[in-house]
Amino acid sequence: MDSQTITADAAGTWKLGDLPVRRLGLGAMRLTGSGAFHHGTPGDRERSIAVLRRAIGLGVNHIDTAAFYFSSLRSANELINSALAPYPDDLVIVTKVGPYRTYSGEWGTSARPDELRGHVEENLRQLGRDHLDVVNLRRMPKYDSISEHFGALAELRDAGLIRHLGISNVTPRHLAEAQAIAPVVCVQNRYALDRPDPGTDALLRVCGEQGIAFVPFYAVAGDAGEHGATAAHDEEVQAVARAHGASPAQIRIAWTLHQGPHVLAIPGTGNPDHLTENVAAAAIRLTGEELERLDGLRGKAG
């Protein structure tokens, strides 16, 4: 497989509301360093900018970010603004609000509904935008219901600060709760080949039935999570990778995209070469037998 010639078009497209995006996007979390937040070492600024510009060159038009994606030296939103503004007309930037980090990097108190406007305005300022394409409400454990928070974001959508709304870290019950207030265009939950979760499986199916995008995070990182991509690949994953002349990470991305036409992948990286490899995974077509082998691995992990 020649990674250099494959673009995100190979993944096909889906719509976030009225905004078409290619199903292979870019997560901005790893632009700031070798691990998310203050984990690892801060990333090289010029290399991160090169990642963003190469992503656009490879047809990526969906970038996932947040104001709380920053390390001791780097801010994902600042990098996006510096690298890509003025933004391409078809670029969709998705951000999220709810959690809060202090300037020192410590996690602060989760936002109250009346504080979400400040979170939205901070993203607008950092990105240099007059509105946000999509804002995900990240449900915080201390709040069982999302109605008040989602209602506050719906008011900001009505005011023109937000175009579309999504939710993250939720269950089917929370999706129904949000939909009673305003349309939901995407759901973002943790989901990975080696991390079975019957509740999230059910949510993925519900999203498919309702035409809502399902956007897994940590799909490549697996259990490593915010510390970076996992190096623990089962022999089944490695065998499928060898059959395709691909890396295990590419197989994880391909498996994610095979979970449904409404499933979007947002692998993150701060390395231009890894970015090219991630995008190339859009062209991998797994056979029915390979999917069964990988799904069986997922069952064993549970």
Side-chain angles (χ1 to χ4, degrees), residues 178-193:
Q179 287 175 308
I181 298 169
V184 174
V185 302
C186 57
V187 172
Q188 190 179 98
N189 268 30
R190 188 166 187 170
Y191 185 78
L193 174 60

Side-chain angles (χ1 to χ4, degrees), residues 8-38:
D9 294 271
T13 61
W14 190 260
K15 281 189 174 182
L16 297 176
D18 62 344
L19 302 172
V21 296
R22 296 178 185 97
R23 295 178 58 224
L24 197 295
L26 172 66
M29 180 183 286
R30 293 290 304 281
L31 293 172
T32 66
S34 60
F37 312 125
H38 277 37

Side-chain angles (χ1 to χ4, degrees), residues 60-84:
V60 171
N61 69 340
H62 170 207
I63 296 177
D64 179 85
T65 188
F68 54 84
Y69 285 179
F70 64 88
S71 66
S72 58
L73 294 178
R74 305 283 174 255
S75 156
N77 282 353
E78 185 276 328
L79 290 165
I80 292 168
N81 190 345
S82 295
L84 303 180

